[in-house]
Structures are given as C-alpha cells and as structure tokens.
Amino acid sequence: MLTFVRQEIFKLVKSKLFALSFLVLIAFVILMLWGFYTYSKHKTGGQTEFKYTYENASYFNGLIFSLYSLYFAFQIIIPITVSILGGTQIAGEARAGTLRFLLTRPLSRSRLFLGKYLVTALHVYVLLVFFVVLNLLVGLLVVGWGDLSLYPGPLNLVKEPSRLQEDEALLRFLYATVTGTWSLMTLTSLAFLMSVSFENPIVAAFCTLSIYVLFSVMGRVDFFVDLKPYFFTVDMEFWRDVFKPVIPINEFLYRTCRCGMYTVAFLLTGLIIFERKDILT
Amino acid sequence: MLFRITGSMDVKFFLAGLFLTFVCGAWYFDPERTKAVSPPALTDSPGFSLLTWNVGYFDDELDSRAHSEDLSHIASVISGAGVDCINLQEIADSNQVSTLKGLLGARYPYDAMGKGSRTDRYVVTLSRLPFENETLTPSLVGRDSVAVRFDVSSPPLSITVVNCHADAFNSRRRRLLANYLIDWEDRAEGKKNVLLAGDFNLDLTPIESSDLFTDDKKNDSEAYSLLLRRFRDLGGQAGPTSIFNRRIDYLFLASENLETVEVRVIQGKVVGRMDHLPLLGRFKVK
C-alpha cells in the first residue's frame, strides 16, 4: 500500500494537473490584488489607500486581504479544482486505459481506491497550505500585517466588531488549512463517487461541480429553507468558524461531524460501486 | 491501520463504523439539542417600555406607506403591548395620526411627527408620558428623525428616544444617518440615556447571506459598527423583524441607568401587505 501511495504521489507530481492547480491559485491571488487595488482607487478618488475604512486606520492589512482571498476562493475556484482532482482519479485511469493494468497488480480494489483518495487528500491539503502562505506573503509584502479586525456584514463572520491579535490570527490561518481540508474532503469524496460511476473524468468532474453549485445556490435561497439542513454545502462552510474571536466549539464540532458523515458516506458508496464494477478498459 | 486491513469487508466495516461515529457525534454536538431558552426576567422596578414598528407595506405595492384601513388593527396591537412609547414609521399624513390617537382613546395623548422636504412618509412617536421633542434633520437623507425626551421614575431619569427611518435603497445615506446620529449624540447636552428605535434598513444578515462583498454591505457594516461604538444593539437575539428573514429594525441603547428586561419581536401581528413586525423593548431603571 505504501509503495502504491508513493507511486501515486510521483505520478501526481509529474502530471500537468498538479502544476496547473497551483498556477490557477496564483492567478487568483493576482486577480484579488488587482481587484483590491482598483476598488481602492475607485473609492478613494485615485489615492489608492484602501487602508482607511471603518474609521480604522489599520483595517485593511495583509491578514484581512488573505482572509478575503481565502473566503472568495472557497466559494468556487477551490471547489472547481477539488472536483477536477477527485473526478480524474478513477475515471481518468479508465479513460487512459490504465485502470485494468493497475488492477492486475497484487493490490485490492479497496486499497487502490483508498490509496488514491489519500493522495488526493494530501494534494488538497498542500494546495490549501500553499494558497494560505502565498496570500499571507503577498499581503505582508504589499500591505503589511497587523491585527485582524472583523466587522459584521462582509465575510458574514461576526455579529459585532471584533479583533484578533496578529499572532492569534496567524494561528487561525493555520487552523483554517486543516478545517478547510476537512471541509473539502466532502467534495473530494463526492468527486470520487462520480469518478467510479462514470468512465469519463470530464463527466465526473462536471457532475460533482453541478451538485455542489446546485446545493450551494439552493442553500442560499429562502424557498428551500426546509431543505437547507440536508445540504452538505451548508455544513462545509464551518471551516471559517476558526476566524471567529471565540470559536463556537459545539457548532464547530457538529458541522465537523456532519462533514465527516457525508465524506464517509460518499466514500463508502464509491468503494462499493468500484468493487462491483466490471472494469472493461 | 489501513495498511493492515487485508479484506475489503474490513475496510467497509471500518468506514461504516466511522460513519456511525460521525452520526453520533453530530447528534451529541447538535446546537439545537443543547440550546436552553431562558424566560424573560420579571421585575417590579420602575421601568420604561417602547414599541417600534414600520407599519408600511411591501415596496412592490403602489402605495407602500401605512394604509388607513389598518389603523384599527395597529391600535389594537399597541393597546395589547401596553407600552409607554410607540415609534411608528411610514405614516402617510397627520390625519392618520389623529385617527390612531382617537382609536387609542386617551391612552397616548402626546405625539410628535417628523417632517421632511423630500419624502411622502413620516415617523411618528406616540406616548402616554409628556415629553420635549426635537426634530433631527440629517442632511442628504431627506426624512427627518424625531427625538423625544421623557422624565420617568423617581428620582427623575431623563430618557431620550429617537425615532428613525433610514433610506431603504441607498446604503450611503444609511451610513450618513448613522454618522449624523453619532454626531448629534456627541453634541447633545443632558442626553445620558438614549434609545434609538426605528427602521434602520441595515441588512447585515450574518452567516446566512450569499453576498460576499458589496458596497451596500460594506456601508451598512460601517454604519452598524459606528453605532456600536456608542450604543448596544439590543435586538440581536430577537430574530428577524421583516419578511425574507431580515433584521432591519433595531433598538440601540446608550445608557448606564437602564437595564434591558425584554426585547422581542411580536409575531403574527401583520395585516394586509405589511412587511415589518413590531419590535418591543422593556427596560428597568437600575
């Protein structure tokens, strides 16, 4: 199993998808910088000082930039990346004609399935760490760090003005890499389920993303208020609770367990389908 | 552990066990299951109470101001609440005020009505206690607010209640109103216990909203944060005050002498096409 995982990591690192996944996030950070720069220029009549708002001279610093960037990326760009990463794992091998070859090795289908899942989970974690570190570094270089001031409204994080000290805020970013990864494992597991259900990685990724976007949109429309508790996308948003001044432990653990439920349910279903599937390619 | 599992059944059992563990964990940590509801504290201390209510109709209506045919219902809600002071918004004209006072009998003999140069709807304060009133005229907003000062309890305690109705469509104007109220409170002499009660149209909707970052949200957030520097938002736990689950009617308090006994939204009292619920606040003197 270890050997298989090492091989998969090697394959992953050598693949174009690996490099592309990082490039997309770099492009996003550049876009965020451009967005903030032009917004501040527009709002301050050309002075490009976005530091002064909320009558707080240090509101907009590298930490708040990183938080905004992470928050916005989590809405769609990271889920797209994760859907593609997960969707290509089994379906991609089937499409390339290498899945049968892989299964001729002395490796059970369950180990193959879980091994690939483990490697994908590692990839997602590394991506998230890279993204957070990149944002923090860019924020430090362009604006500088400071305390993380939070206000009700934008980011939908707090109900009253709050503040995290710089050291504490940096620690919360570290926590966010873990909670973010856990949250994304739900989507990754769904992508794996689609990947074993379809022979085509594009269809698998498309289905995963469609389900994610559908639930995500419906979860924010009041028509579906009764259905909302059953959408996994609602539970996935727990990752940002680590940025609240006082982390609501009960709610946090509740959502963590719910994400775990969905993750394992999708994974188990995918495994059962994969084991019974007749591999023809 | 994964590497030692030899059979696929073991893996499935392991995953099934993990699933059940998470289900149990979710049940155990469910916030709804562990939430305790405290009944409102009762007190015999002298106190003060008020109701704020935007009695207008939903914006889509041809006339979204208060409708005269609803005045008897409004009067019955006010009578049922039994408060000292009522702040109403979206009143169409002084005839409605006269009719309402008539329906309420002699219980609320005092009233103050805001004016405005560019508006067709007004704020009105009704009270069973005499007061001194002052009209606040925030620039660029176009709709005046009204501040009334009561003397309650013994020894006398002066309470100032401000009735506001912020612009529903322009977040910059809402921000300007917040600035104005803070400046007014700064300048004011003898205003030690100030209650802002009205329709501020500050739509922050923490957590639930799908808006990531908009100018409206930024302006509303800044207005709200500015007000919180001087005032406490009392209605945070009261729930939505308007349709679509929006909390846009507020009770803000800046006082060391008043303690909040109860703040709640009165449910089930809208008629016609009203889109706001009454917000009630009860206070006791420390």
Side-chain angles (χ1 to χ4, degrees):
Chain A
M1 176 82 163
L2 260 178
T3 311
F4 173 71
V5 169
R6 272 202 294 263
Q7 285 170 349
E8 285 295 312
I9 292 172
F10 180 79
K11 266 169 61 181
L12 176 71
V13 169
K14 289 290 177 191
S15 71
K16 286 180 187 164
L17 193 57
F18 184 75
L20 269 171
S21 63
F22 289 92
L23 283 173
V24 159
L25 295 182
I26 292 170
F28 183 81
V29 173
I30 293 170
L31 205 61
M32 282 291 295
L33 264 177
W34 179 79
F36 272 88
Y37 176 80
T38 52
Y39 182 78
S40 66
K41 199 171 174 182
H42 172 70
K43 287 293 169 186
T44 60
Q47 294 174 25
T48 68
E49 281 288 344
F50 198 64
K51 291 183 183 178
Y52 301 101
T53 185
Y54 290 102
E55 299 186 340
N56 175 346
S58 63
Y59 170 68
F60 183 67
N61 55 30
L63 295 187
I64 201 71
F65 167 77
S66 302
L67 183 56
Y68 272 114
S69 185
L70 189 61
Y71 195 81
F72 293 163
F74 243 93
Q75 300 304 307
I76 201 68
I77 192 72
I78 291 179
I80 288 175
T81 309
V82 165
S83 300
I84 294 171
L85 289 176
T88 53
Q89 289 304 311
I90 306 293
E93 300 275 8
R95 182 66 176 225
T98 52
L99 187 58
R100 267 189 112 166
F101 172 72
L102 267 179
L103 290 169
T104 59
R105 296 163 67 186
L107 186 73
S108 67
R109 289 195 184 194
S110 57
R111 284 192 181 192
L112 185 145
F113 184 84
L114 290 175
K116 279 188 169 288
Y117 185 78
L118 216 66
V119 170
T120 310
L122 194 63
H123 185 185
V124 170
Y125 180 69
V126 167
L127 260 181
L128 217 46
V129 168
F130 168 79
F131 188 64
V132 167
V133 168
L134 178 66
N135 275 293
L136 288 172
L137 281 176
V138 164
L140 175 65
L141 289 170
V142 173
V143 192
W145 288 350
D147 291 346
L148 186 63
S149 300
L150 300 165
Y151 290 89
L155 300 177
N156 303 326
L157 209 52
V158 292
K159 292 185 181 181
E160 56 187 18
S162 314
R163 178 186 287 259
L164 285 172
Q165 304 286 339
E166 182 183 289
D167 293 344
E168 180 66 24
L170 289 171
L171 197 59
R172 301 296 180 96
F173 274 103
L174 176 63
Y175 295 164
T177 59
V178 176
T179 59
T181 304
W182 184 252
S183 166
L184 289 168
M185 282 300 100
T186 308
L187 197 59
T188 309
S189 305
L190 179 63
F192 260 72
L193 174 58
M194 295 297 130
S195 197
V196 300
S197 304
F198 300 103
E199 302 286 317
N200 189 322
I202 297 171
V203 171
F206 172 77
C207 287
T208 308
L209 208 46
S210 299
I211 293 170
Y212 173 79
V213 171
L214 186 71
F215 281 4
S216 203
V217 168
M218 282 164 62
R220 292 166 178 181
V221 175
D222 282 340
F223 290 154
F224 307 104
V225 63
D226 287 341
L227 291 176
K228 199 172 155 179
Y230 304 105
F231 296 159
F232 65 86
T233 47
V234 173
D235 297 307
M236 278 176 66
E237 292 179 2
F238 87 97
W239 68 269
R240 62 183 188 209
D241 284 354
V242 294
F243 289 104
K244 292 181 177 175
V246 176
I247 301 173
I249 294 292
N250 248 32
E251 169 104 22
F252 180 81
L253 289 172
Y254 170 70
R255 299 271 176 220
T256 306
C257 288
R258 281 181 66 91
C259 280
M261 263 168 52
Y262 288 115
T263 301
V264 175
F266 292 145
L267 209 58
L268 185 57
T269 311
L271 180 61
I272 292 169
I273 293 172
F274 186 57
E275 286 195 341
R276 292 177 183 206
K277 195 179 166 100
D278 198 9
I279 310 291
L280 299 171
T281 57
Chain B
M1 185 177 167
L2 266 178
F3 306 131
R4 290 190 184 176
I5 294 169
T6 53
S8 67
M9 283 309 291
D10 291 341
V11 172
K12 288 182 200 141
F13 280 133
F14 172 72
L15 289 175
L18 204 56
F19 175 76
L20 287 171
T21 306
F22 284 128
V23 167
C24 293
W27 174 83
Y28 183 77
F29 293 114
D30 187 352
E32 291 297 314
R33 192 180 70 87
T34 53
K35 190 162 67 175
V37 179
S38 343
L42 300 173
T43 177
D44 291 330
S45 303
F48 180 76
S49 55
L50 73 88
L51 186 82
T52 177
W53 192 7
N54 179 325
V55 290
Y57 275 25
F58 188 49
D59 292 326
D60 273 0
E61 298 294 312
L62 281 174
D63 184 2
S64 61
R65 300 175 298 173
H67 287 216
S68 297
E69 59 266 26
D70 298 331
L71 290 176
S72 57
H73 170 77
I74 294 169
S76 75
V77 173
I78 291 171
S79 300
V83 293
D84 299 310
C85 170
I86 304 104
N87 282 1
L88 299 173
Q89 298 89 39
E90 302 263 25
I91 295 294
D93 50 46
S94 54
N95 290 333
Q96 286 189 343
V97 181
S98 305
T99 306
L100 193 55
K101 282 176 71 175
L103 288 165
L104 288 166
R107 279 166 290 184
Y108 296 95
Y110 308 100
D111 69 271
M113 185 166 173
K115 300 287 184 264
S117 56
R118 288 172 285 157
T119 186
D120 62 350
R121 56 206 67 209
Y122 309 95
V123 299
V124 167
T125 296
L126 300 175
S127 167
R128 61 176 191 83
L129 305 169
F131 55 72
E132 292 174 29
N133 70 303
E134 176 188 350
T135 299
L136 312 185
T137 313
S139 59
L140 296 181
V141 175
R143 184 160 54 223
D144 294 348
S145 305
V146 161
V148 298
R149 198 172 76 186
F150 302 94
D151 288 326
V152 296
S153 83
S154 176
L157 181 72
S158 182
I159 300 175
T160 303
V161 175
V162 181
N163 188 350
C164 309
H165 184 192
D167 195 309
F169 305 105
N170 189 317
S171 64
R172 280 200 72 238
R173 288 183 175 184
R174 295 196 285 271
R175 170 75 199 266
L176 285 169
L177 176 63
N179 275 347
Y180 180 87
L181 289 171
I182 295 295
D183 287 343
W184 167 80
E185 206 245 354
D186 265 345
R187 287 192 313 266
E189 291 175 7
K191 291 184 178 57
K192 291 191 173 47
N193 307 293
V194 180
L195 264 163
L196 309 179
D199 180 3
F200 284 80
N201 277 303
L202 297 174
D203 193 2
L204 299 166
T205 56
I207 314 299
E208 304 273 330
S209 171
S210 62
D211 296 333
L212 293 179
F213 185 89
T214 60
D215 270 356
D216 281 352
K217 187 159 279 187
K218 179 176 171 291
N219 283 327
D220 280 351
S221 179
E222 288 175 347
Y224 180 74
S225 302
L226 199 58
L227 288 167
L228 286 190
R229 289 187 174 195
R230 299 296 176 80
F231 297 88
R232 280 180 289 134
D233 176 8
L234 304 180
Q237 304 300 318
T241 62
S242 173
I243 57 172
F244 304 131
N245 277 337
R246 301 167 74 206
R247 187 170 78 94
I248 54 177
D249 302 89
Y250 290 82
L251 271 175
F252 291 107
L253 174 68
S255 170
E256 291 175 0
N257 304 112
L258 283 178
E259 191 179 312
T260 310
V261 172
E262 174 189 28
V263 174
R264 65 183 170 92
V265 172
I266 303 177
Q267 301 288 344
K269 296 297 181 188
V270 295
V271 291
R273 303 272 285 168
M274 285 183 182
D275 57 338
H276 287 251
L277 295 161
L279 180 62
L280 177 137
R282 296 192 194 280
F283 309 90
K284 69 175 182 180
V285 178
K286 286 186 189 171

